[in-house]
Amino acid sequence: MLHRRLLLVLAATGLVLAGCATTPTAEQHPPIVFVHGNGDSASIWQSTVWRFESNGWPRERLHAIDLPYPLARDDDGKAQPGRTSTAEHMAYLKAEVEKVLQATGARQVVLMGNSRGGNAIRNYIQNGDGAARVSHAILGGTPNHGVWAIKGFREANEFSGTGPFLTRLNAPKNAAGDEVSGPVKWLTLRSDNNDKFAQPDGVWIGAKGTPTNVTFEGPALKGATNTVLPRVDHRETSFSPAAFEATYRFITGKSAQARTIQPETPVVLNGKITGLGLRPTDPASGNYSNNLPLPGAQLAVYATDAATGARLGNAVHSRTVGADGLWGPFTAQPGMQYEFVVSAPGYATTHIYRSPFPRSSNIIHLRADRPAEADKSAKSSTTLTRPRGYFDATRDKMSFDGKALPGVPPAGAGVSSSKINLSQDDSRPIAAEFNGEKITGRTWPMADGHLVVLELTY
């Protein structure tokens, strides 16, 4: 049966950030509020913020929000622990916009959302009195016509194209049939055919061969400027260089001068340490993500050798975080790779290896992790993750421990992490490369409660 076959696999998804020396007027550089997607956090906007800064946007006018519970409810109208409704999501965004307007003295903001974040933006502008407070709305990969559009199937979910939430948002606003509310200027960014949540076939939602009744054009909206970015994946509709250039041009009316992220010194980093919730109804079913601080978590930061992942001496920064979860500030050396070691009761000791940071950021969020049940028999477990995009074997040049990425299909961009479990006890380097970005970490023993993450920046 169709209803049994379709399984939704949603991928994603503080006032922050880093800046520049100029002080332009609000008209030149209006405040931008970035809204992450399902299951994500503010940290996913890190490279996008750097690109705006590299083109003169002041740090105090760039704000990425953290929805405390970033996952959508299964049924939007029914309370579900650890998840948010569309109404709660909109209320949170509305409150954050008001904070930004008050802090900056601006009359309006620009809103930029990825995936589910676009749902909150549309809901706020249309139903939350946001039209007067927003000048531009940019939606990257937002499933504006649903991830599926099947009568009778999970229509209470906010991602149903035939459900009440999207039906109301997409109702014609004028005689021309526009789906967007004025006088806001609207831009949608979508892939030509590589967005896993805008597919006519249900391959990426667990139902290969079953029509979703959604097309590649699903994120487009009548009445908006609709831009196609060839071969980008679901997340790259917001976080890729091409998405930045289209967004910058839409807001300013001109092309960005700096096409690459410009380095700065000093590089000062900060962010939150967050954890995972256990599903209350069935703890054995696993964890769910949240963006709540994890007070009492401990962090140690080590400079590492780029070739071997070995530590270059003692910790260069350490902290036990308080109620706000903040682990910094920490001044990083330009060009240096780092190992971030997060430990907290009830979690594995999580070793997160990162490539060098070119600029400062206050949204370097770190998540304590727990091992999956299936991985506990391994001697060591290392995950390669790409938060701002997916892996596409036909498009990307990549390797993990010297070979193809386990779990990544031969075509299509639908997987954003890959895991290697080893059966050897020895500690050794483990490296990954993705389109020129290289990270080398070291394996750590699962028996002693360690997990390893190689986290890509780009």
Side-chain angles (χ1 to χ4, degrees), residues 116-399:
R116 189 193 183 206
N119 284 352
I121 290 171
R122 295 186 68 196
N123 199 16
Y124 167 57
I125 291 172
Q126 182 168 319
N127 302 310
D129 299 321
R133 292 171 171 80
V134 179
S135 62
H136 300 71
I138 297 101
L139 314 179
T142 296
N144 289 312
H145 295 94
V147 175
W148 65 86
I150 302 166
K151 281 290 186 181
F153 174 72
R154 296 192 66 186
E155 290 184 296
N157 186 280
E158 75 174 84
F159 299 108
S160 167
T162 55
F165 175 69
L166 287 180
T167 298
R168 287 192 294 266
L169 283 185
N170 293 332
K173 308 300 186 293
N174 52 34
D178 288 346
E179 296 172 303
V180 295
S181 306
V184 178
K185 297 175 182 177
W186 293 84
L187 172 67
T188 73
L189 300 172
R190 70 170 180 86
S191 178
D192 50 358
N193 59 14
N194 205 26
D195 185 332
K196 66 182 291 184
F197 295 125
Q199 294 289 326
D201 184 90
V203 59
W204 291 117
I205 59 172
K208 184 177 181 180
T210 301
T212 62
N213 299 327
V214 175
T215 70
F216 302 137
E217 293 80 20
L221 287 168
K222 187 171 184 180
T225 298
N226 297 299
T227 298
V228 178
L229 305 176
R231 293 303 296 161
V232 299
D233 61 47
H234 180 64
R235 292 178 182 169
E236 289 172 340
T237 58
S238 294
F239 311 122
S240 64
F244 167 74
E245 290 181 16
T247 299
Y248 186 91
R249 190 180 311 112
F250 183 70
I251 298 171
T252 67
K254 57 186 178 182
S255 297
Q257 290 185 330
R259 298 301 180 94
T260 59
I261 294 169
Q262 302 299 297
E264 70 170 353
T265 54
V267 174
V268 181
L269 306 176
N270 204 345
K272 289 189 302 185
I273 294 179
T274 63
L276 296 165
L278 286 171
R279 303 190 190 282
T281 54
D282 182 13
S285 67
N287 306 317
Y288 64 85
S289 61
N290 63 58
N291 292 321
L292 301 177
L294 189 60
Q298 295 181 314
L299 174 71
V301 183
Y302 297 87
T304 63
D305 182 270
T308 67
R311 295 173 178 174
L312 301 176
N314 296 327
V316 293
H317 177 74
S318 60
R319 182 167 179 180
T320 300
V321 304
D324 59 7
L326 295 178
W327 60 261
F330 162 62
T331 301
Q333 295 181 45
M336 180 63 70
Q337 291 195 168
Y338 287 99
E339 173 194 359
F340 298 81
V341 184
V342 180
S343 57
Y347 291 88
T349 300
T350 308
H351 302 256
I352 304 168
Y353 293 87
R354 295 288 301 267
S355 56
F357 294 86
R359 296 185 65 86
S360 300
S361 177
N362 285 338
I363 50 172
I364 308 300
H365 295 345
L366 307 170
R367 192 182 296 281
D369 206 353
R370 299 187 182 105
E373 196 64 37
D375 300 332
K376 290 182 178 179
S377 61
K379 297 296 184 181
S380 67
S381 182
T382 302
T383 298
L384 171 64
T385 181
R386 187 180 177 222
R388 295 161 196 90
Y390 292 79
F391 299 121
D392 186 341
T394 62
R395 180 194 65 182
D396 302 318
K397 181 180 179 181
M398 52 191 179
S399 66

Side-chain angles (χ1 to χ4, degrees), residues 15-20 22-34 49 52-53 56-64 100-101 103-110:
L15 299 180
V16 290
L17 311 175
C20 75
T22 60
T23 53
T25 66
E27 291 74 20
Q28 290 175 306
H29 294 98
I32 303 176
V33 178
F34 300 96
V49 168
F52 274 102
E53 291 175 359
W57 229 276
R59 67 184 52 166
E60 66 271 13
R61 290 182 173 272
L62 298 167
H63 306 266
V100 171
L101 291 174
T104 62
R107 187 177 63 86
Q108 291 182 311
V109 299
V110 173

